[in-house]
Amino acid sequence: MRLRVELTTEPFDLDEAPEHAVVVREVVGTAGLDAVHVGPFGNTAEGGADAVPAAVGALLRRTLAAGATRVSLQIDVVGEDGR
Protein backbone atom coordinates (compact mmCIF):
# COMPACT_ATOMS: atom_id res chain seq x y z
CA MET A 1 0.00 0.00 0.00
CA ARG A 2 1.21 3.48 -0.87
CA LEU A 3 0.30 6.38 1.41
CA ARG A 4 0.44 10.17 1.21
CA VAL A 5 0.80 12.25 4.35
CA GLU A 6 -0.12 15.92 4.45
CA LEU A 7 1.19 17.77 7.50
CA THR A 8 1.06 21.28 8.90
CA THR A 9 2.68 22.52 12.11
CA GLU A 10 1.90 25.69 14.01
CA PRO A 11 2.53 28.40 15.08
CA PHE A 12 3.36 30.00 11.75
CA ASP A 13 6.16 32.48 11.36
CA LEU A 14 6.43 34.09 7.93
CA ASP A 15 9.71 35.87 8.70
CA GLU A 16 11.77 32.74 9.36
CA ALA A 17 11.17 29.03 9.65
CA PRO A 18 10.43 28.03 13.24
CA GLU A 19 12.38 25.11 14.70
CA HIS A 20 9.43 22.73 14.36
CA ALA A 21 9.27 23.47 10.62
CA VAL A 22 12.98 22.75 10.27
CA VAL A 23 12.41 19.44 12.06
CA VAL A 24 9.75 18.48 9.48
CA ARG A 25 12.31 18.93 6.70
CA GLU A 26 14.88 16.85 8.58
CA VAL A 27 12.52 13.96 9.36
CA VAL A 28 10.95 13.81 5.90
CA GLY A 29 14.37 14.05 4.27
CA THR A 30 15.72 11.05 6.18
CA ALA A 31 12.59 8.87 6.35
CA GLY A 32 12.89 7.26 2.93
CA LEU A 33 9.77 9.00 1.63
CA ASP A 34 9.37 10.37 -1.87
CA ALA A 35 7.17 12.84 -3.76
CA VAL A 36 8.18 15.26 -1.01
CA HIS A 37 6.97 18.85 -1.04
CA VAL A 38 7.89 21.11 1.88
CA GLY A 39 6.19 24.47 1.79
CA PRO A 40 5.46 27.39 4.09
CA PHE A 41 1.85 26.34 4.75
CA GLY A 42 2.01 22.57 4.46
CA ASN A 43 4.09 19.55 3.61
CA THR A 44 3.36 16.37 1.68
CA ALA A 45 5.26 13.15 1.17
CA GLU A 46 4.52 9.65 -0.06
CA GLY A 47 5.81 6.24 0.84
CA GLY A 48 4.99 2.69 1.78
CA ALA A 49 2.65 1.43 4.48
CA ASP A 50 5.59 0.98 6.88
CA ALA A 51 7.56 4.14 6.07
CA VAL A 52 4.75 6.70 6.39
CA PRO A 53 3.49 5.67 9.86
CA ALA A 54 7.07 5.46 11.13
CA ALA A 55 7.77 8.95 9.78
CA VAL A 56 4.54 10.29 11.30
CA GLY A 57 5.54 8.99 14.72
CA ALA A 58 8.92 10.68 14.45
CA LEU A 59 7.32 13.87 13.12
CA LEU A 60 4.90 14.08 16.04
CA ARG A 61 7.52 13.46 18.71
CA ARG A 62 10.13 15.77 17.25
CA THR A 63 7.92 18.70 16.14
CA LEU A 64 6.15 18.86 19.50
CA ALA A 65 9.51 18.75 21.28
CA ALA A 66 10.68 21.59 18.99
CA GLY A 67 7.83 23.90 20.00
CA ALA A 68 4.89 23.07 17.73
CA THR A 69 1.64 23.89 19.48
CA ARG A 70 -0.49 22.18 16.85
CA VAL A 71 0.16 19.43 14.33
CA SER A 72 -2.50 18.74 11.71
CA LEU A 73 -2.14 15.73 9.47
CA GLN A 74 -4.03 13.65 7.00
CA ILE A 75 -3.08 10.30 5.52
CA ASP A 76 -4.55 9.01 2.26
CA VAL A 77 -4.14 5.70 0.49
CA VAL A 78 -2.94 6.62 -3.00
CA GLY A 79 -2.24 3.21 -4.52
CA GLU A 80 -0.12 0.14 -4.29
CA ASP A 81 3.65 0.15 -3.81
CA GLY A 82 5.50 -0.01 -7.11
CA ARG A 83 2.84 1.87 -9.05
Side-chain angles (χ1 to χ4, degrees):
M1 181 182 321
R2 185 162 178 78
L3 304 173
R4 176 184 303 124
V5 60
E6 298 178 41
L7 173 82
T8 303
T9 59
E10 295 178 38
F12 296 116
D13 184 341
L14 295 178
D15 293 326
E16 64 180 82
E19 182 61 28
H20 55 82
V22 173
V23 166
V24 170
R25 287 185 217 141
E26 291 172 3
V27 172
V28 170
T30 61
L33 304 178
D34 55 30
V36 173
H37 172 74
V38 177
F41 300 109
N43 312 284
T44 61
E46 294 183 14
D50 293 327
V52 169
V56 167
L59 283 163
L60 290 173
R61 284 188 300 278
R62 292 193 53 202
T63 57
L64 292 170
T69 58
R70 178 181 220 166
V71 179
S72 302
L73 66 93
Q74 178 173 309
I75 298 175
D76 296 303
V77 175
V78 295
E80 296 296 321
D81 271 341
R83 288 188 181 180

Coordinates of all heavy atoms in Angstrom, one line a residue:
M1 N 0.8 -1.2 0.0 CA 0.0 0.0 0.0 C 0.9 1.2 0.0 O 1.9 1.3 0.7 CB -0.9 0.0 1.3 CG -1.8 1.1 1.4 SD -2.8 1.1 2.9 CE -3.2 -0.6 3.1
R2 N 0.5 2.2 -0.8 CA 1.2 3.5 -0.9 C 0.3 4.5 -0.2 O -0.8 4.7 -0.5 CB 1.5 3.8 -2.3 CG 2.3 5.1 -2.5 CD 2.9 5.1 -3.9 NE 3.6 6.3 -4.1 CZ 4.9 6.5 -3.7 NH1 5.5 5.5 -3.0 NH2 5.5 7.6 -3.9
L3 N 1.0 5.4 0.6 CA 0.3 6.4 1.4 C 0.9 7.8 1.1 O 2.0 7.9 0.8 CB 0.4 6.1 2.9 CG 0.0 4.7 3.4 CD1 0.3 4.5 4.9 CD2 -1.5 4.5 3.2
R4 N 0.0 8.8 1.3 CA 0.4 10.2 1.2 C 0.1 10.8 2.6 O -1.0 10.7 3.0 CB -0.3 10.9 0.1 CG 0.1 12.4 0.1 CD -0.6 13.3 -0.9 NE -0.4 12.7 -2.3 CZ -1.4 12.4 -3.1 NH1 -2.7 12.5 -2.7 NH2 -1.1 11.9 -4.3
V5 N 1.0 11.5 3.1 CA 0.8 12.2 4.4 C 0.9 13.7 4.0 O 1.7 14.2 3.3 CB 1.8 11.9 5.5 CG1 3.2 12.1 5.1 CG2 1.5 12.6 6.8
E6 N -0.1 14.5 4.5 CA -0.1 15.9 4.5 C 0.0 16.4 5.9 O -0.8 16.0 6.8 CB -1.4 16.4 3.8 CG -1.6 16.0 2.4 CD -2.9 16.4 1.8 OE1 -3.3 17.6 2.0 OE2 -3.5 15.6 1.1
L7 N 0.9 17.4 6.1 CA 1.2 17.8 7.5 C 1.4 19.3 7.6 O 2.1 19.9 6.7 CB 2.5 17.1 7.9 CG 3.1 17.4 9.3 CD1 2.4 16.7 10.4 CD2 4.5 17.1 9.3
T8 N 0.8 19.9 8.6 CA 1.1 21.3 8.9 C 1.4 21.4 10.4 O 0.7 20.8 11.2 CB -0.2 22.1 8.6 OG1 -0.5 21.9 7.2 CG2 0.0 23.6 8.8
T9 N 2.4 22.2 10.7 CA 2.7 22.5 12.1 C 2.5 24.0 12.4 O 2.6 24.8 11.5 CB 4.1 22.1 12.5 OG1 5.0 22.9 11.6 CG2 4.4 20.7 12.3
E10 N 2.1 24.3 13.6 CA 1.9 25.7 14.0 C 2.6 25.9 15.3 O 2.9 25.0 16.0 CB 0.4 26.0 14.2 CG -0.4 25.8 12.9 CD -1.9 26.1 13.1 OE1 -2.2 26.9 13.9 OE2 -2.7 25.3 12.5
P11 N 2.9 27.1 15.7 CA 2.5 28.4 15.1 C 3.3 28.8 13.8 O 4.5 28.3 13.7 CB 2.8 29.4 16.2 CG 3.9 28.8 17.0 CD 3.7 27.3 16.9
F12 N 2.7 29.5 13.0 CA 3.4 30.0 11.8 C 4.3 31.2 12.1 O 4.0 32.0 13.0 CB 2.3 30.5 10.7 CG 1.4 29.4 10.2 CD1 0.1 29.4 10.5 CD2 1.9 28.3 9.5 CE1 -0.8 28.5 10.0 CE2 1.1 27.3 9.0 CZ -0.3 27.4 9.3
D13 N 5.3 31.3 11.3 CA 6.2 32.5 11.4 C 6.6 32.7 9.9 O 7.4 32.0 9.4 CB 7.4 32.2 12.3 CG 8.2 33.5 12.4 OD1 8.1 34.4 11.6 OD2 9.0 33.5 13.4
L14 N 6.1 33.8 9.3 CA 6.4 34.1 7.9 C 7.8 34.7 7.7 O 8.3 34.8 6.6 CB 5.4 35.0 7.3 CG 4.0 34.3 7.2 CD1 3.0 35.3 6.7 CD2 4.0 33.1 6.4
D15 N 8.4 35.2 8.8 CA 9.7 35.9 8.7 C 10.8 34.9 8.6 O 11.8 35.1 7.9 CB 9.9 36.8 9.9 CG 9.0 38.0 9.8 OD1 8.6 38.4 8.7 OD2 8.6 38.5 10.9
E16 N 10.8 33.8 9.4 CA 11.8 32.7 9.4 C 11.1 31.4 9.8 O 10.2 31.4 10.5 CB 13.0 33.1 10.2 CG 12.7 33.2 11.7 CD 13.9 33.5 12.5 OE1 14.3 34.7 12.6 OE2 14.5 32.6 13.0
A17 N 11.7 30.3 9.3 CA 11.2 29.0 9.6 C 11.4 28.7 11.1 O 12.5 28.8 11.6 CB 11.8 28.0 8.8
P18 N 10.3 28.4 11.8 CA 10.4 28.0 13.2 C 11.1 26.7 13.3 O 11.1 25.9 12.4 CB 9.0 28.0 13.8 CG 8.1 28.0 12.6 CD 8.9 28.5 11.4
E19 N 11.6 26.4 14.5 CA 12.4 25.1 14.7 C 11.5 23.9 14.3 O 12.0 22.9 13.7 CB 12.9 25.0 16.1 CG 13.7 23.8 16.4 CD 15.0 23.7 15.6 OE1 15.5 24.7 15.2 OE2 15.4 22.5 15.3
H20 N 10.3 23.9 14.7 CA 9.4 22.7 14.4 C 9.3 22.5 12.9 O 9.2 21.4 12.4 CB 8.1 22.8 15.1 CG 7.3 24.0 14.8 ND1 6.5 24.2 13.7 CD2 7.1 25.1 15.5 CE1 5.9 25.4 13.7 NE2 6.3 26.0 14.9
A21 N 9.3 23.6 12.1 CA 9.3 23.5 10.6 C 10.6 22.9 10.1 O 10.6 22.1 9.1 CB 9.0 24.8 10.0
V22 N 11.7 23.3 10.7 CA 13.0 22.7 10.3 C 13.0 21.2 10.6 O 13.5 20.5 9.8 CB 14.1 23.5 11.0 CG1 15.5 22.8 10.7 CG2 14.1 25.0 10.6
V23 N 12.5 20.8 11.7 CA 12.4 19.4 12.1 C 11.6 18.6 11.0 O 12.0 17.5 10.7 CB 11.8 19.3 13.5 CG1 11.4 17.8 13.8 CG2 12.8 19.8 14.5
V24 N 10.5 19.2 10.5 CA 9.7 18.5 9.5 C 10.6 18.2 8.3 O 10.7 17.0 7.8 CB 8.5 19.3 9.0 CG1 7.9 18.7 7.8 CG2 7.5 19.4 10.2
R25 N 11.4 19.1 7.8 CA 12.3 18.9 6.7 C 13.3 17.8 7.0 O 13.6 17.0 6.2 CB 13.0 20.2 6.4 CG 12.2 21.2 5.7 CD 13.0 22.4 5.3 NE 12.2 23.6 5.5 CZ 12.6 24.8 5.9 NH1 13.9 24.9 6.2 NH2 11.8 25.8 6.1
E26 N 13.9 17.9 8.2 CA 14.9 16.8 8.6 C 14.3 15.4 8.6 O 14.8 14.5 8.0 CB 15.5 17.2 10.0 CG 16.3 18.4 10.0 CD 16.7 18.8 11.4 OE1 16.3 18.0 12.4 OE2 17.4 19.8 11.6
V27 N 13.1 15.3 9.2 CA 12.5 14.0 9.4 C 12.1 13.4 8.0 O 12.4 12.3 7.6 CB 11.3 14.0 10.3 CG1 10.6 12.7 10.3 CG2 11.8 14.3 11.7
V28 N 11.4 14.3 7.2 CA 11.0 13.8 5.9 C 12.1 13.5 5.0 O 12.1 12.5 4.2 CB 10.0 14.9 5.3 CG1 9.7 14.6 3.8 CG2 8.7 15.0 6.0
G29 N 13.2 14.3 5.1 CA 14.4 14.0 4.3 C 15.1 12.8 4.6 O 15.8 12.3 3.7
T30 N 15.0 12.3 5.8 CA 15.7 11.1 6.2 C 14.8 9.8 6.4 O 15.3 8.8 6.7 CB 16.5 11.3 7.5 OG1 15.6 11.6 8.5 CG2 17.5 12.4 7.3
A31 N 13.5 10.0 6.1 CA 12.6 8.9 6.4 C 12.4 7.9 5.2 O 11.6 7.0 5.3 CB 11.2 9.4 6.8
G32 N 13.1 8.1 4.1 CA 12.9 7.3 2.9 C 11.6 7.5 2.2 O 11.1 6.6 1.5
L33 N 11.0 8.7 2.3 CA 9.8 9.0 1.6 C 10.1 9.7 0.3 O 11.2 10.2 0.1 CB 8.9 9.9 2.5 CG 8.5 9.4 3.9 CD1 7.7 10.4 4.6 CD2 7.8 8.1 3.8
D34 N 9.1 9.7 -0.6 CA 9.4 10.4 -1.9 C 8.2 11.3 -2.2 O 7.3 11.4 -1.4 CB 9.6 9.4 -3.0 CG 8.5 8.3 -3.1 OD1 7.4 8.6 -2.8 OD2 8.8 7.2 -3.5
A35 N 8.2 11.9 -3.4 CA 7.2 12.8 -3.8 C 7.0 13.9 -2.7 O 5.9 14.3 -2.3 CB 5.8 12.2 -4.1
V36 N 8.2 14.3 -2.1 CA 8.2 15.3 -1.0 C 8.0 16.7 -1.5 O 8.7 17.1 -2.4 CB 9.5 15.1 -0.2 CG1 9.6 16.2 0.8 CG2 9.7 13.7 0.3
H37 N 7.1 17.4 -0.8 CA 7.0 18.8 -1.0 C 6.9 19.5 0.3 O 6.0 19.2 1.1 CB 5.7 19.2 -1.8 CG 5.4 20.6 -1.9 ND1 6.2 21.5 -2.7 CD2 4.6 21.4 -1.2 CE1 5.7 22.7 -2.5 NE2 4.8 22.7 -1.6
V38 N 7.9 20.4 0.6 CA 7.9 21.1 1.9 C 7.6 22.6 1.5 O 8.4 23.2 0.8 CB 9.2 20.9 2.6 CG1 9.3 21.8 3.9 CG2 9.5 19.5 2.9
G39 N 6.6 23.1 2.1 CA 6.2 24.5 1.8 C 5.9 25.3 3.1 O 5.9 24.7 4.2
P40 N 5.7 26.5 2.9 CA 5.5 27.4 4.1 C 4.1 27.1 4.8 O 4.0 27.4 6.0 CB 5.5 28.8 3.5 CG 5.1 28.7 2.1 CD 5.6 27.3 1.7
F41 N 3.2 26.6 4.1 CA 1.8 26.3 4.8 C 1.5 24.9 4.8 O 0.4 24.6 5.3 CB 0.8 27.1 4.0 CG 1.0 28.6 4.0 CD1 1.4 29.3 2.9 CD2 0.9 29.3 5.2 CE1 1.7 30.6 2.9 CE2 1.2 30.7 5.2 CZ 1.6 31.3 4.1
G42 N 2.3 24.0 4.4 CA 2.0 22.6 4.5 C 3.1 21.7 3.8 O 3.9 22.3 3.0
N43 N 3.1 20.5 4.1 CA 4.1 19.6 3.6 C 3.4 18.3 3.2 O 2.4 17.8 3.8 CB 5.1 19.2 4.7 CG 5.6 20.5 5.4 OD1 6.4 21.2 4.9 ND2 5.0 20.8 6.6
T44 N 3.9 17.7 2.1 CA 3.4 16.4 1.7 C 4.5 15.4 1.4 O 5.6 15.9 1.0 CB 2.5 16.5 0.4 OG1 3.2 17.0 -0.7 CG2 1.2 17.3 0.7
A45 N 4.3 14.2 1.5 CA 5.3 13.1 1.2 C 4.5 11.8 1.0 O 3.4 11.6 1.5 CB 6.3 13.0 2.2
E46 N 5.1 10.9 0.2 CA 4.5 9.6 -0.1 C 5.5 8.6 0.3 O 6.7 8.8 0.2 CB 4.1 9.5 -1.5 CG 3.0 10.5 -1.9 CD 2.5 10.3 -3.3 OE1 2.9 9.3 -4.0 OE2 1.8 11.2 -3.8
G47 N 5.0 7.4 0.6 CA 5.8 6.2 0.8 C 5.0 5.0 1.1 O 3.7 5.0 1.0
G48 N 5.6 4.0 1.5 CA 5.0 2.7 1.8 C 4.3 2.7 3.1 O 4.4 3.6 3.9
A49 N 3.5 1.6 3.3 CA 2.7 1.4 4.5 C 3.5 1.3 5.8 O 2.9 1.5 6.9 CB 1.7 0.2 4.3
D50 N 4.7 1.0 5.7 CA 5.6 1.0 6.9 C 6.3 2.3 7.1 O 6.4 2.8 8.2 CB 6.6 -0.1 6.8 CG 6.0 -1.5 6.8 OD1 5.0 -1.7 7.5 OD2 6.5 -2.4 6.2
A51 N 6.8 2.9 6.0 CA 7.6 4.1 6.1 C 6.8 5.3 6.5 O 7.2 6.1 7.4 CB 8.2 4.4 4.7
V52 N 5.5 5.5 6.0 CA 4.8 6.7 6.4 C 4.4 6.7 7.9 O 4.6 7.7 8.6 CB 3.5 6.9 5.5 CG1 2.6 7.9 6.0 CG2 4.0 7.2 4.0
P53 N 3.8 5.6 8.4 CA 3.5 5.7 9.9 C 4.7 5.9 10.7 O 4.7 6.6 11.8 CB 2.8 4.3 10.1 CG 2.2 3.9 8.8 CD 3.2 4.4 7.8
A54 N 5.8 5.3 10.4 CA 7.1 5.5 11.1 C 7.5 6.9 11.1 O 7.9 7.5 12.1 CB 8.2 4.6 10.6
A55 N 7.4 7.5 9.9 CA 7.8 8.9 9.8 C 6.8 9.8 10.6 O 7.2 10.8 11.2 CB 7.8 9.4 8.3
V56 N 5.5 9.5 10.6 CA 4.5 10.3 11.3 C 4.8 10.2 12.8 O 4.8 11.3 13.5 CB 3.1 9.8 11.0 CG1 2.1 10.4 12.0 CG2 2.7 10.2 9.6
G57 N 5.2 9.1 13.3 CA 5.5 9.0 14.7 C 6.7 9.9 15.1 O 6.7 10.6 16.1
A58 N 7.7 9.8 14.2 CA 8.9 10.7 14.5 C 8.6 12.2 14.3 O 9.0 13.0 15.1 CB 10.0 10.3 13.5
L59 N 7.7 12.5 13.3 CA 7.3 13.9 13.1 C 6.6 14.4 14.3 O 6.8 15.5 14.8 CB 6.4 14.0 11.9 CG 7.2 14.0 10.5 CD1 6.2 13.7 9.4 CD2 7.9 15.3 10.3
L60 N 5.7 13.6 14.9 CA 4.9 14.1 16.0 C 5.8 14.3 17.2 O 5.7 15.4 17.9 CB 3.8 13.1 16.4 CG 2.6 13.0 15.4 CD1 1.7 11.9 15.8 CD2 1.9 14.3 15.4
R61 N 6.6 13.3 17.5 CA 7.5 13.5 18.7 C 8.5 14.6 18.6 O 8.6 15.5 19.5 CB 8.3 12.2 18.9 CG 7.6 11.0 19.5 CD 8.5 9.9 19.8 NE 9.2 9.3 18.7 CZ 8.6 8.4 17.8 NH1 7.4 8.1 17.9 NH2 9.4 8.0 16.8
R62 N 9.1 14.8 17.4 CA 10.1 15.8 17.2 C 9.6 17.2 17.1 O 10.2 18.1 17.6 CB 11.1 15.4 16.1 CG 11.9 14.1 16.5 CD 13.0 13.9 15.6 NE 13.9 15.0 15.4 CZ 14.7 15.2 14.4 NH1 14.7 14.2 13.4 NH2 15.4 16.2 14.3
T63 N 8.5 17.3 16.3 CA 7.9 18.7 16.1 C 7.3 19.2 17.4 O 7.5 20.4 17.7 CB 6.9 18.8 15.0 OG1 5.8 17.8 15.3 CG2 7.5 18.5 13.7
L64 N 6.7 18.4 18.2 CA 6.1 18.9 19.5 C 7.3 19.2 20.4 O 7.2 20.2 21.1 CB 5.2 17.8 20.1 CG 3.9 17.6 19.4 CD1 3.2 16.3 19.9 CD2 3.0 18.8 19.4
A65 N 8.3 18.4 20.5 CA 9.5 18.8 21.3 C 10.2 20.0 20.8 O 10.8 20.7 21.6 CB 10.5 17.6 21.3
A66 N 10.0 20.4 19.5 CA 10.7 21.6 19.0 C 9.8 22.8 19.1 O 10.1 23.9 18.5 CB 11.1 21.3 17.5
G67 N 8.6 22.7 19.8 CA 7.8 23.9 20.0 C 6.5 24.0 19.2 O 5.8 25.0 19.4
A68 N 6.2 23.0 18.4 CA 4.9 23.1 17.7 C 3.8 23.0 18.8 O 3.8 22.3 19.7 CB 4.7 21.9 16.8
T69 N 2.8 23.9 18.6 CA 1.6 23.9 19.5 C 0.4 23.2 18.9 O -0.6 22.9 19.5 CB 1.2 25.3 19.9 OG1 1.0 26.1 18.7 CG2 2.4 26.0 20.6
R70 N 0.6 22.9 17.6 CA -0.5 22.2 16.8 C 0.1 21.5 15.7 O 1.0 22.0 15.0 CB -1.5 23.2 16.3 CG -2.6 22.5 15.6 CD -3.6 23.5 15.1 NE -4.9 22.9 15.2 CZ -6.1 23.5 15.1 NH1 -6.1 24.8 14.9 NH2 -7.2 22.9 15.2
V71 N -0.3 20.2 15.5 CA 0.2 19.4 14.3 C -1.1 18.9 13.7 O -1.9 18.2 14.3 CB 1.1 18.3 14.7 CG1 1.5 17.5 13.5 CG2 2.3 18.8 15.5
S72 N -1.3 19.2 12.5 CA -2.5 18.7 11.7 C -2.0 17.8 10.6 O -1.1 18.2 9.9 CB -3.3 19.9 11.1 OG -3.7 20.8 12.1
L73 N -2.6 16.6 10.5 CA -2.1 15.7 9.5 C -3.3 14.9 8.9 O -4.3 14.7 9.6 CB -1.0 14.8 9.9 CG -1.3 13.8 11.0 CD1 -1.6 12.5 10.4 CD2 0.0 13.7 11.8
Q74 N -3.1 14.5 7.7 CA -4.0 13.7 7.0 C -3.2 12.6 6.2 O -2.2 12.9 5.6 CB -4.8 14.5 6.0 CG -5.8 13.7 5.2 CD -6.7 14.7 4.4 OE1 -7.3 15.6 4.9 NE2 -6.8 14.4 3.1
I75 N -3.7 11.4 6.3 CA -3.1 10.3 5.5 C -4.1 9.7 4.6 O -5.2 9.4 5.0 CB -2.5 9.2 6.5 CG1 -1.5 9.8 7.4 CG2 -2.0 8.0 5.7 CD1 -0.9 8.9 8.4
D76 N -3.7 9.6 3.3 CA -4.5 9.0 2.3 C -3.9 7.8 1.6 O -2.6 7.8 1.4 CB -4.8 10.0 1.1 CG -5.6 11.2 1.6 OD1 -6.7 11.0 2.2 OD2 -5.1 12.4 1.5
V77 N -4.6 6.8 1.3 CA -4.1 5.7 0.5 C -4.2 6.2 -1.0 O -5.2 6.6 -1.5 CB -5.0 4.4 0.7 CG1 -4.6 3.3 -0.3 CG2 -5.0 4.0 2.1
V78 N -3.0 6.1 -1.6 CA -2.9 6.6 -3.0 C -2.6 5.5 -4.0 O -2.4 5.8 -5.2 CB -1.9 7.8 -3.1 CG1 -2.4 9.0 -2.3 CG2 -0.6 7.4 -2.7
G79 N -2.5 4.3 -3.6 CA -2.2 3.2 -4.5 C -1.5 2.1 -3.9 O -1.4 2.0 -2.7
E80 N -0.9 1.3 -4.7 CA -0.1 0.1 -4.3 C 1.3 0.5 -4.5 O 1.7 1.2 -5.4 CB -0.5 -1.1 -5.1 CG -1.9 -1.6 -4.9 CD -2.2 -2.0 -3.5 OE1 -1.3 -2.7 -2.9 OE2 -3.3 -1.7 -3.0
D81 N 2.2 -0.1 -3.6 CA 3.7 0.1 -3.8 C 4.1 -0.3 -5.2 O 3.6 -1.4 -5.7 CB 4.5 -0.6 -2.8 CG 4.7 0.2 -1.5 OD1 4.6 1.4 -1.6 OD2 5.0 -0.4 -0.5
G82 N 5.0 0.4 -5.8 CA 5.5 0.0 -7.1 C 4.7 0.5 -8.3 O 5.0 0.3 -9.4
R83 N 3.6 1.3 -8.0 CA 2.8 1.9 -9.1 C 3.0 3.4 -9.1 O 3.2 4.0 -8.1 CB 1.4 1.6 -8.8 CG 1.0 0.1 -9.1 CD -0.5 0.0 -9.1 NE -0.8 -1.4 -9.3 CZ -2.0 -1.8 -9.4 NH1 -3.0 -1.0 -9.2 NH2 -2.3 -3.1 -9.6

